[in-house]
Every structure is written in structure tokens, then in C-alpha cells.
Amino acid sequence: MTKRFAIILAAGQGSRMKSKKYKVLHEIAGYSMVEHVIGNVEKLNPEKIVSVVGFGAESVKEKLGDRCEYALQSEQLGTGHAVLMTKELLASEEGTTLVVCGDTPLITADTLDALFTEHESSKAKATILTAHAENPFSYGRIIRNANGHVERIVEEKDANESERLVQEINTGTFCFDNKALFDALEQVGNDNAQGEYYLPDVIGILQQQGEIISAYQMAEFADSIGINDRIALSVATKTMRQRINREHMVNGVTFVDADSTYIDAGVVIGNDTVVEAGAVIKGNTVIGSNCFIGAHSQIVDSKLGDGITVTSSHIEGAVIGNGSDVGPFGRLRPGAVLAENVHIGNFVEVKNAQIANGSKVGHLTYIGDADLGKNVNVGCGTVFVNYDGKAKHQSVIGDNVFLGCHTSIVSPVNVGDGAFTAAGSTITKDVPADSLAIARSEQVNKEGYAKKLPYSN
């Protein structure tokens, strides 16, 4: 099989984005544009991937890490010049080289693989990825000969009346015979209004040499768009989210309103899970089967088991076991780990705490830096006082413990198995197993005293 290589063009500044952020690092569905591109390229298992970087080079390298090699385009002198910057890494190789822009996040691995296949089967020296555009204005038109090979690419400003009617357009993604590419790049000039070296000029050079130029037309025009401004970013984001949601629905997930459900790329959801409108599911999140994700819940970087109910709650960096439920208006922060059949009720916050099977935290409670055993009942208004102003402290609550309403656990303390705390207690010392802890001031009634107060009637 012919060796495959890939060049990702990611050196442009993207001034039309009106942003301090480097263009290809703007995100769509949880990942930067260039991460979407390299992710699809990686699925083809090329021998080498080289990203051409320029503006914001260090930021791109930090984002992509060792997933590719890098070539620096210190001056922005056009796409042909950008590809030429990879010469030291690729020019000596034999095989097929894909050139794709880092701001085309919607192009799929299937499309790129089909482009490679068309190029290799047609014995062409270059193959252009094209698309059918209902309104091709401003795009370069693909003019084919009787054999179906590309005769030329005609830009809008150079097209005659009949050529402007052609709806097959150049997307700016190409496959080349690697040797032919770098030989032709040495011949590309910059005699144009911009004084730049254009990659499409390679096509003309190869044609003059009598080489075959082929084209592969992708199925969806929308997948070809390059992102140059915030408007295009918004359009691409909507398309990406529709694609993501459709894939989940095909796999057995129910969306009450898919158009108002926002799920990042890479999120995993099991079958027979129902997701209501307004839900946002982001990052490295995995949700099991037969779950219910209620309206306007947000789940980030979390792992949820099977049969879980989340009602209008915020969950981040948490793990939730089978059969548990959260909300409404619950908040699980990083480090929250719920075992099976745990109940987290309304206005309960959990952070860096483990809660074992069958425990219940009904409402208006904060649990931080704690381990709770099995079948613990946490009364309303209970607070784990885990921070002394300088450091966090850990408390351990045993199995079958009952924490009365408005208990304050001043960490670090241990509460033994089967212990009770009286409502309103401030627990500052360990509580032995099967004990009742009462830590509150004794009630004193002063009869008739209320009449002496200035605000009494």
C-alpha cells in the first residue's frame, strides 16, 4: 500500500476573527478547530503528520503536543510557501500527501479516506477535494474534461459566463504525489497582487507537464467550509452539534429537543438514556444506559453509571454510581464520588468527597473533604466545616450514621458506625460508634422577659 502523509496548514493569523486567540484554536463542540482536523487525519494512520505553524506557534504546539511534527512558517507568504516549509521533513518521502487546512473542522475522516482512495486509484499526480455548491459565488470552479479529469480551476474573477454556472467548487484540500508536489513547489512563483505563493498553482504546473489531475466530490458542501470569522464559526458549530446529536440518536439516545441540547464531541452516552432540552454535556463525559438527564443540567468531565437521574443540576469532575440521583439544583464538584443508589437532593453541594451505597443527602447541605459510609442519612442544613483559613481537613463518617439537621462537622473528626448527632450540634470531637452526640447550648427559658424588650408590644 502507498505510504500516506498529511500536512495541516495552521499558520494563518485569522484577523477576521477579531480575537487575541489564534484562529485554529477557537473551539467547536469542546475541541479547537485544529484538534478536530488532526483527529480525523489520525484515523487514517498516516506515516507522518506535519502541522505548519506561524502566528501563535507555541499555543498550537501546546494544544497538539506530540501528535504531529511541526514546520514553522515565520512569514505568511501563501499556502504554497507554507507547504514548502515542510520540505526537510517530507520532500524525500515516496507516497501520497494530503494537504488540509486547520480551519476546516467539519471535514470527516471518511471524506479524507475517500480522497486518498480516489487519488491512488486514478494514478493522478494531484487530486482535488471538491463539493457541489448551490451558490458557488467566490469559489474556484472545477472544469473537467471528457474523461472526468480536472482540466483547470477557474477563479471567480477569471471565469466566463458558462464557467460561472459550474457548481463544483474547489474546497482547498488536496492529495498529491509527494515527489511531484515538492518538485512543482520549486516552480511556483509569486507574480500576483498579493505577492504570495499559492498551492493551487501546483495544479497548473502538473497539468503543463501532462500529468493527470483528478477530483473527488464530497457528499456535503457544509462539511467543506473554512472558518474565517465568528459567523462561520457559529454555522460550523451548529452543523457539528447536529452531527453529534444525530449519531447519539442513531445509537439509541432520546433527545426531547435535539436542537436545544448541547453535547461536545467525544461524549459517550448509553442507549435508552433520555436527555431533556437545554442540557449541556461537555468534555470527557461518559453516561451509562437508562439514565435521565433533566432540562438545563450541565455535566462536565464526569462519569455516570446506569439508571441515574440528574434533575436541573451542575456536575463537574464527578463519578456517580448506578441508580443514584442528583437534584433538582444539586452541585457535584471535582472529586465527588457517589457509589450506588445515593440520593443527592436539592441545593446540596459535594466536593472532594466519597459517599457510599444507599446514603441520602436530602437538601441544603455542603459536604466537602469527607468520606461517608453506607446508609448514612444527612439532615437538612448540615455543613462540613472543612477549611480553617489555611488548609482543608478531612472527616470520616461511618456506616448507618444519622446526622441531625443543622449539624456542623468541624473537620477533622471521625463519626463511628451507627452514631447519631442531635439537631443543631457542632461536632468538634470524634463520636464513638453507636453514640448520640449532643453539642449545643442548653436551652434556657426566661419567663416574661420578652415583654421587657424594646420592640415588644
Side-chain angles (χ1 to χ4, degrees), residues 387-444:
Y387 183 53
D388 64 7
K390 292 184 179 180
K392 299 288 182 69
H393 300 279
Q394 189 89 5
S395 285
V396 177
I397 310 299
D399 296 339
N400 303 303
V401 169
F402 186 97
L403 300 179
C405 291
H406 294 286
T407 294
S408 293
I409 302 291
V410 182
S411 300
V413 295
N414 296 326
V415 178
D417 294 346
F420 275 63
T421 66
S425 292
T426 299
I427 305 300
T428 59
K429 299 177 182 179
D430 290 352
V431 180
D434 299 318
S435 299
L436 170 63
I438 304 173
R440 61 191 184 204
S441 298
E442 182 179 353
Q443 180 175 328
V444 176

Side-chain angles (χ1 to χ4, degrees), residues 108-252:
T108 66
D110 287 343
T111 294
L112 296 178
D113 188 51
L115 176 64
F116 267 116
T117 301
E118 169 64 27
H119 176 81
E120 291 160 357
S121 63
S122 66
K123 308 297 183 183
K125 291 296 182 182
T127 302
I128 306 163
L129 181 63
T130 70
H132 176 86
E134 288 298 325
N135 178 13
F137 178 77
S138 81
Y139 288 98
R141 311 303 204 278
I142 301 298
I143 309 301
R144 295 181 185 247
N145 61 24
N147 295 323
H149 296 145
V150 176
E151 189 173 279
R152 63 189 183 279
I153 303 173
V154 182
E155 298 302 325
E156 174 76 30
K157 65 182 186 310
D158 300 321
N160 59 37
E161 187 173 342
S162 63
E163 289 167 340
R164 288 194 180 97
L165 296 176
V166 174
Q167 293 180 297
E168 186 178 14
I169 58 96
N170 173 27
T171 68
T173 297
F174 305 88
C175 269
F176 295 98
D177 173 273
N178 192 66
K179 288 287 190 180
L181 169 62
F182 285 96
D183 288 345
L185 281 172
E186 298 292 350
Q187 304 173 52
V188 173
N190 66 341
D191 185 18
N192 53 62
Q194 300 299 322
E196 295 185 349
Y197 301 87
Y198 295 131
L199 182 61
D201 289 352
V202 169
I203 302 297
I205 292 169
L206 293 175
Q207 284 172 323
Q208 291 171 11
Q209 296 172 354
E211 303 291 357
I212 294 175
I213 308 298
S214 186
Y216 173 77
Q217 184 171 310
M218 62 195 303
E220 296 291 338
F221 169 75
D223 292 354
S224 71
I225 66 170
I227 311 303
N228 293 312
D229 56 30
R230 306 291 179 134
I231 298 170
L233 183 69
S234 175
V235 171
T237 298
K238 183 174 182 179
T239 300
M240 179 71 78
R241 294 202 180 281
Q242 288 173 337
R243 181 190 295 174
I244 291 167
N245 289 0
R246 185 180 188 281
E247 183 176 354
H248 284 298
M249 288 186 282
V250 168
N251 290 331

Side-chain angles (χ1 to χ4, degrees), residues 65-132:
D66 60 1
R67 297 171 69 179
C68 60
E69 299 179 59
Y70 298 94
L72 178 64
Q73 186 188 25
S74 55
E75 293 183 90
Q76 310 303 293
L77 299 178
T79 52
H81 178 259
V83 173
L84 193 58
M85 295 301 98
T86 70
K87 181 177 179 179
E88 290 187 7
L89 296 170
L90 290 174
S92 63
E93 301 284 358
E94 298 277 355
T96 301
T97 296
L98 168 74
V99 181
V100 60
C101 294
D103 63 357
T104 55
L106 296 178
I107 290 181
T108 66
D110 287 343
T111 294
L112 296 178
D113 188 51
L115 176 64
F116 267 116
T117 301
E118 169 64 27
H119 176 81
E120 291 160 357
S121 63
S122 66
K123 308 297 183 183
K125 291 296 182 182
T127 302
I128 306 163
L129 181 63
T130 70
H132 176 86

Side-chain angles (χ1 to χ4, degrees), residues 260-274:
S260 62
T261 304
Y262 307 94
I263 300 178
D264 279 357
V267 167
V268 177
I269 306 177
N271 65 330
D272 291 322
T273 286
V274 176

Side-chain angles (χ1 to χ4, degrees), residues 345-361:
N346 51 296
F347 303 105
V348 172
E349 180 177 347
V350 181
K351 177 182 179 292
N352 193 32
Q354 299 186 43
I355 303 178
N357 293 354
S359 291
K360 296 177 172 57
V361 188

